[in-house]
């Protein structure tokens, strides 16, 4: 039960916190400075790089960087596009929490 509660709290705080910082704050400012797609891509790259510490364990450095940039970066582009297109914070948060929650459940079930 403690593990389930902790996983839920982490999924919610990471989803809300990361979307506040990366989309609402960073991407919005980069879009205003450099344009829509530069803002989306630059924010997605930073978002991907920040996840190096928590993703890709057991891989060599080059493969780890490529895997994390690909998976987290692509996710960042998708969420970044949604933010840029609709400017609905809750849509980004719901998607982020759903993805995090799904991955946590798969991990707890031994499937990821």
């Amino acid at each position: 039960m403690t593990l389930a509660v902790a996983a839920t709290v982490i999924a919610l705080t990471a989803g809300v916190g990361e979307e506040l910082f990366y989309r609402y704050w960073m991407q919005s400012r980069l879009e205003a400075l450099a344009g829509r797609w530069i803002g989306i891509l630059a924010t997605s790259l930073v978002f991907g790089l920040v996840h190096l510490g928590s993703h890709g364990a057991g891989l060599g450095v080059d493969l780890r960087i490529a895997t994390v940039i690909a998976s987290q970066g692509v996710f960042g582009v998708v969420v970044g596009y949604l933010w840029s297109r609709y400017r609905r914070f809750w849509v980004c948060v719901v998607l982020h929490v759903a993805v995090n929650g799904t991955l946590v459940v798969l991990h707890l079930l031994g499937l990821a």
Side-chain angles (χ1 to χ4, degrees):
M1 183 60 154
T2 302
L3 183 59
V5 170
T8 301
V9 169
I10 289 168
L12 289 173
T13 56
V16 173
E18 288 180 355
E19 291 310 314
L20 267 172
F21 179 73
Y22 291 105
R23 255 52 74 185
Y24 187 80
W25 187 80
M26 180 186 283
Q27 181 178 320
S28 295
R29 278 145 185 82
L30 288 174
E31 285 180 7
L33 289 171
R36 180 184 197 183
W37 284 104
I38 297 296
I40 292 170
L41 294 174
T43 301
S44 298
L45 178 63
V46 172
F47 178 77
L49 289 172
V50 166
H51 287 84
L52 280 172
S54 60
H55 294 68
L59 301 174
V61 174
D62 293 345
L63 187 55
R64 183 177 189 177
I65 291 170
T67 300
V68 171
I69 295 282
S71 64
Q72 298 302 311
V74 168
F75 178 73
V77 169
V78 169
V79 180
Y81 174 78
L82 290 174
W83 172 248
S84 181
R85 174 75 169 87
Y86 299 106
R87 292 289 195 239
R88 299 284 188 258
F89 182 70
W90 65 269
V91 171
C92 298
V93 170
V94 167
L95 177 59
H96 199 138
V97 170
V99 168
N100 284 357
T102 300
L103 293 172
V104 167
V105 169
L106 291 174
H107 181 74
L108 291 174
L109 294 173
L111 301 172

